[in-house]
């Protein structure tokens, strides 16, 4: 069984033989870490500055750690990248004396703008002081900042084509007609995850079911983690998409473009969350029972998850989906 985000056509991208992405609302992801590494190396090794003090240039990229990916959700592209890097520079004074140093960038990510990058320049420990260090700080840092900004622009231009596939309707009509957005008239969540007429019909009955358990530790308090699961603002943050969450006992929720929905059945502040939970392609009106237990362990919180009533053929994808789109997403988003 494929994981959420890794090819299950019911959960991620509904492919047709004509390469149509039906409704263009599924989640697709492309790993561009390898391309990014090559691009960053090429751009950084092209950095060269010159001044009255002499000439400095980057000669090697000694550290390049991180990852980058592009996601398509409902026809919109989202770029995620996070890198830490170190490069070596060589300076030659007007008198021909050579000096070596380093450039470090610790926060190249989609959360920081080009102007917010933390770029530091230093001489190697065995090197004497030289005016070339001032040249690197004055001219080298802005040049490094510029090429890192160029990397982001190339990332967006290089992969913007092909990530958003034509919709089925777009192939039939000369011009796309924007869909009307749902209007939320009250503060309560409206849940109606019906099967699309264009997609495969949902099963009407469920066969065998199974259960699984997960355990994870978060570097945060129990009250903070509790709010993360029942607050609409928090849920929208870690799912990177609109969500409707009524964080009360009996309140309903809908997230990940309506693919996940359910109802809170038990809420014990900072201790326990119970819910009826389903994925939209499951048999109609079939819900799993999910219980989250939060235990305060001093400096961190242990989360124990029990999920019962999962259709047996959906066990692996449901387990991996909870790991990736809940537990890992929460850690990556909030730093827990």
């Amino acid at each position: 069984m494929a994981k959420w985000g890794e090819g299950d056509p019911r959960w991620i991208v509904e492919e047709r033989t004509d390469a149509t992405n039906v409704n263009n609302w599924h989640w697709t992801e492309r790993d561009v870490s390898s391309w990014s590494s090559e691009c960053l190396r090429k751009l950084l090794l092209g950095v060269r500055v010159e001044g009255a003090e002499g000439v400095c240039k980057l000669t090697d990229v000694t550290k390049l750690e991180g990852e980058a990916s592009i996601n398509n959700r409902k026809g919109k592209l989202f770029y995620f990248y996070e890198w830490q890097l170190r490069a070596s520079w060589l300076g030659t004074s007007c008198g021909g004396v050579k000096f070596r140093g380093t450039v470090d960038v610790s926060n190249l990510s989609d959360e920081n703008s080009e102007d917010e990058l933390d770029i530091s320049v230093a001489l190697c420990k065995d090197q004497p002081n030289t005016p070339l260090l001032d040249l690197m700080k004055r001219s080298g840092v802005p040049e490094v900042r510029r090429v890192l900004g160029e990397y982001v622009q190339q990332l967006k231009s290089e992969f913007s084509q092909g990530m958003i596939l034509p919709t089925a309707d777009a192939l039939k009509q000369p011009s796309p007609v924007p869909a009307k957005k749902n209007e939320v008239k009250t503060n309560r969540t409206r849940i109606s995850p019906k099967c699309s007429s264009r997609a495969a019909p949902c099963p009407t009955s469920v066969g065998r079911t199974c259960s699984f358990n997960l355990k994870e530790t978060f570097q945060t308090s129990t009250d903070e983690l509790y709010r993360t699961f029942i607050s609409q603002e928090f849920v929208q943050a870690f799912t990177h998409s609109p969500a409707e969450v009524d964080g009360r006992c009996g309140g309903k929720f809908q997230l990940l473009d309506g693919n996940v929905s359910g109802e809170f059945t038990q809420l014990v502040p900072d201790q326990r969350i119970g819910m009826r939970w389903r994925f939209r392609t499951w048999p109609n009106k079939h819900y799993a029972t999910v219980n989250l237990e939060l235990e305060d362990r001093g400096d961190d919180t242990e989360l124990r998850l029990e999920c019962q009533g999962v259709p047996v053929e959906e066990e692996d994808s449901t387990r991996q989906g909870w790991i990736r789109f809940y537990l890992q997403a929460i850690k990556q988003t909030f730093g827990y």
Side-chain angles (χ1 to χ4, degrees):
M1 183 68 65
K3 302 177 182 179
W4 292 1
E6 294 186 5
D8 187 327
R10 295 165 301 166
W11 292 50
I12 310 306
V13 136
E14 189 174 333
E15 296 283 356
R16 291 186 176 181
T17 56
D18 58 2
T20 301
N21 178 2
V22 180
N23 295 328
N24 225 345
W25 53 259
H26 295 287
W27 174 276
T28 57
E29 180 174 319
R30 183 172 182 178
D31 186 345
V32 292
S33 299
S34 178
W35 175 90
S36 294
S37 296
E38 295 180 7
C39 181
L40 285 167
R41 289 182 186 277
K42 181 179 179 180
L43 290 171
L44 289 168
L45 294 180
V47 171
R48 182 181 185 278
V49 292
E50 186 173 352
E53 302 90 340
V55 178
C56 296
K57 61 180 180 180
L58 300 191
T59 58
D60 189 21
V61 179
T62 58
K63 175 183 177 182
L64 189 53
E65 299 176 352
E67 60 183 354
S69 63
I70 304 175
N71 298 308
N72 170 17
R73 180 184 290 277
K74 208 169 185 179
K76 296 181 181 180
L77 292 181
F78 299 87
Y79 300 85
F80 302 100
Y81 54 91
E82 185 173 7
W83 297 96
Q84 292 183 347
L85 59 90
R86 169 174 287 186
S88 300
W89 59 271
L90 174 66
T92 305
S93 69
C94 295
V97 181
K98 297 185 182 298
F99 298 84
R100 296 185 179 276
T102 58
V103 177
D104 286 274
V105 183
S106 60
N107 64 338
L108 175 59
S109 77
D110 54 274
E111 296 180 352
N112 299 314
S113 67
E114 182 179 324
D115 294 334
E116 294 173 325
L117 296 179
D118 183 11
I119 305 173
S120 60
V121 180
L123 283 165
C124 293
K125 292 182 179 180
D126 60 346
Q127 300 289 293
N129 194 23
T130 171
L132 291 171
L133 180 59
D134 296 329
L135 174 62
M136 279 298 295
K137 291 180 177 179
R138 184 180 69 251
S139 301
V141 168
E143 183 63 10
V144 170
R145 194 182 304 277
R146 183 190 68 80
V147 300
L148 295 179
E150 186 176 338
Y151 154 70
V152 175
Q153 293 302 317
Q154 288 191 25
L155 173 67
K156 294 181 178 181
S157 62
E158 181 78 12
F159 294 98
S160 61
Q161 300 299 319
M163 281 295 291
I164 301 181
L165 301 175
T167 66
D169 289 340
L171 295 179
K172 300 177 183 178
Q173 302 177 12
S175 59
V177 178
K180 294 182 179 180
K181 297 183 178 179
N182 294 328
E183 295 182 0
V184 181
K185 297 182 180 180
T186 70
N187 291 328
R188 293 187 58 83
T189 305
R190 296 183 295 106
I191 303 296
S192 56
K194 298 180 180 178
C195 299
S196 169
S197 61
R198 297 187 180 93
C202 296
T204 57
S205 62
V206 64
R208 293 188 301 131
T209 63
C210 61
S211 62
F212 63 84
N213 295 273
L214 296 172
K215 182 187 295 185
E216 188 60 81
T217 300
F218 294 85
Q219 301 296 320
T220 188
S221 61
T222 54
D223 64 310
E224 190 79 10
L225 188 59
Y226 177 83
R227 287 201 305 271
T228 301
F229 282 96
I230 68 167
S231 164
Q232 179 167 305
E233 182 180 2
F234 278 67
V235 172
Q236 289 184 147
F238 74 75
T239 60
H240 303 286
S241 65
E244 297 180 11
V245 180
D246 182 356
R248 298 176 293 178
C249 191
K252 296 180 180 178
F253 56 84
Q254 180 171 277
L255 52 142
L256 294 172
D257 293 325
N259 288 321
V260 170
S261 61
E263 178 182 356
F264 294 112
T265 57
Q266 184 182 32
L267 293 175
V268 181
D270 310 340
Q271 297 180 36
R272 185 179 301 110
I273 299 173
M275 64 183 85
R276 298 171 67 239
W277 186 99
R278 65 172 272 109
F279 192 76
R280 74 186 308 157
T281 59
W282 288 6
N284 291 329
K285 298 183 180 180
H286 178 76
Y287 289 81
T289 299
V290 176
N291 289 303
L292 306 177
E293 298 283 345
L294 284 61
E295 181 179 347
D296 186 352
R297 301 180 56 139
D299 293 335
D300 52 45
T301 297
E302 182 179 88
L303 171 70
R304 295 187 297 274
L305 179 150
E306 181 183 41
C307 187
Q308 299 178 328
V310 178
V312 67
E313 67 275 10
E314 303 284 352
E315 177 184 2
D316 185 61
S317 60
T318 303
R319 178 197 302 270
Q320 296 302 325
W322 266 93
I323 293 173
R324 181 174 181 183
F325 288 97
Y326 279 90
L327 308 185
Q328 291 182 354
I330 288 172
K331 286 193 170 187
Q332 293 170 358
T333 302
F334 304 114
Y336 293 163

